Amino acid sequence: MEIKEYTELLISVLRSCDLPQKEITYRSDNLKQAENKPSSISIVGNRYHDLAHEIKSLNFLQQFGKTQISCDYAHKPGSDLILNDKYYIECVCASAGDVRISGFEKYCTKNTLGKVIDYNEKANILYSRLTTAIKAKRDFYEERKGRSIPTDKPYIIFLGLGSLANEMFAEDNGFALTSILFGRGNPQIIINSKTGAVVDSGYSHNFKINKWNGSAIDCNVFCSQDYCCVSAILFTDADLFTPYSSNNTFLFINPFADVRVLKKDFKGLVYWSANPDETYSARRNGHKCINTP
């Protein structure tokens, strides 16, 4: 699909919603202005990915009830989306950053076709970009809480991969995101040295991710007091031209959140959660998904 054709498809979504004409025009103009500004690893830049992400998120969330989108044309403060007058949702796409400075350029798909690379090194850069996006929206909440964002309502970050969608392997049901939410490390097994039998298996635990510049970032987002304001993270690994659906969009519930989400409000969606005596795992309609912890 050509990007101009896709822009018209996004505009048709806006027209199908109960939005003021000024808002439709404002968002349409912004999309068209961002069409011809590619990034180093994508046919369009971060601005276009962000604009498209908000519209696709609006379209996706309407299946769960009344969804309002912010009036950007009026530049009013508030969340990007409000679901059922209850869930305040901020949309954000991860960006690649400066791929030359970070070293990500040598790991980009277009530069590695047919080559063997160290995916652990690539993943560290990807995870740092996701963490940066989440932190930005946590900071946004801190700036607006008690004013345009109430503190007694669930606050959700809707995270998209943007230009990184074709670079990251998100694993089944978005399992890769637990690498930054709970510090999930590499798979490991314990073997009885005498019998050779596998005694136990699981994953190592990381406390930090080392960035390209040598600094470390916390990769246990949901275990941090700083993120208790984040009730959950909606995560999609869909690429630009793929609609969001229950097959590519997953809800990661923060077990330590100040305000919790209700699972029944997102019926049919795969959600990750845990009670005190349970392993954090993926479920759909109360049933544990196959091939998850």
Side-chain angles (χ1 to χ4, degrees):
M1 181 182 293
E2 296 291 332
I3 194 64
K4 290 185 180 297
E5 181 183 356
Y6 190 65
T7 296
E8 290 304 317
L9 180 61
L10 292 173
I11 293 173
S12 70
V13 172
L14 293 173
R15 288 174 178 152
S16 68
C17 301
D18 186 20
L19 295 176
Q21 183 56 47
K22 287 184 178 180
E23 184 65 23
I24 297 173
T25 300
Y26 181 81
R27 289 180 179 269
S28 300
D29 289 347
N30 283 338
L31 278 168
K32 292 176 181 178
Q33 290 170 13
E35 279 180 342
N36 301 314
K37 297 178 180 178
S39 71
S40 56
I41 64 171
S42 175
I43 59 172
V44 290
N46 297 329
R47 176 63 173 157
Y48 191 95
H49 280 290
D50 285 337
L51 293 167
H53 180 45
E54 284 189 28
I55 298 170
K56 294 169 71 174
S57 298
L58 168 65
N59 194 43
F60 172 75
L61 288 169
Q62 288 182 113
Q63 66 184 295
F64 302 112
K66 176 188 174 184
T67 309
Q68 303 166 255
I69 195 167
S70 61
C71 281
D72 284 359
Y73 82 92
H75 304 289
K76 293 182 179 179
S79 289
D80 293 327
L81 301 165
I82 302 176
L83 175 63
N84 291 327
D85 297 320
K86 176 180 180 180
Y87 293 99
Y88 284 69
I89 302 170
E90 271 297 305
C91 300
V92 65
C93 281
S95 67
D98 192 319
V99 297
R100 293 182 181 178
I101 293 178
S102 68
F104 189 67
E105 186 176 41
K106 65 182 178 182
Y107 297 117
C108 292
T109 301
K110 69 176 184 179
N111 296 329
T112 58
L113 291 175
K115 299 179 182 179
V116 177
I117 65 167
D118 185 343
Y119 188 79
N120 284 331
E121 290 295 326
K122 180 176 183 178
N124 276 351
I125 299 175
L126 288 168
Y127 294 156
S128 71
R129 300 308 304 168
L130 295 179
T131 304
T132 297
I134 293 171
K135 182 180 183 301
K137 289 306 178 181
R138 188 284 309 270
D139 292 346
F140 180 88
Y141 173 88
E142 293 296 333
E143 294 170 1
R144 305 293 180 88
K145 67 179 180 180
R147 293 179 292 164
S148 57
I149 303 178
T151 57
D152 61 344
K153 301 287 187 179
Y155 177 67
I156 296 176
I157 297 172
F158 200 147
L159 176 65
L161 290 177
S163 61
L164 300 176
N166 295 321
E167 302 292 339
M168 181 175 171
F169 174 48
E171 303 180 52
D172 290 342
N173 300 309
F175 187 31
L177 199 65
T178 60
S179 296
I180 61 173
L181 299 182
F182 295 103
R184 188 203 71 172
N186 292 322
Q188 61 181 16
I189 59 174
I190 299 174
I191 301 176
N192 186 304
S193 60
K194 294 181 179 180
T195 65
V198 175
V199 178
D200 196 9
S201 63
Y203 295 87
S204 61
H205 179 252
N206 296 326
F207 291 95
K208 302 288 182 181
I209 291 176
N210 291 321
K211 294 182 65 176
W212 58 270
N213 60 5
S215 63
I217 55 174
D218 185 11
C219 58
N220 292 259
V221 169
F222 276 175
C223 300
S224 171
Q225 280 289 117
D226 293 338
Y227 287 86
C228 288
C229 60
V230 180
S231 302
I233 293 175
L234 272 166
F235 171 64
T236 180
D237 64 354
D239 62 22
L240 179 62
F241 295 141
T242 302
Y244 299 163
S245 72
S246 59
N247 294 322
N248 58 35
T249 306
F250 319 102
L251 181 68
F252 290 80
I253 298 173
N254 184 354
F256 307 110
D258 292 331
V259 184
R260 301 291 295 274
V261 303
L262 295 181
K263 299 162 188 173
K264 67 180 181 65
D265 290 341
F266 298 89
K267 187 175 181 180
L269 198 62
V270 169
Y271 61 87
W272 289 79
S273 67
N275 291 323
D277 298 324
E278 295 178 338
T279 300
Y280 196 76
S281 57
R283 295 173 173 81
R284 192 196 298 266
N285 296 330
H287 301 289
K288 189 173 180 180
C289 297
I290 299 173
N291 298 327
T292 61

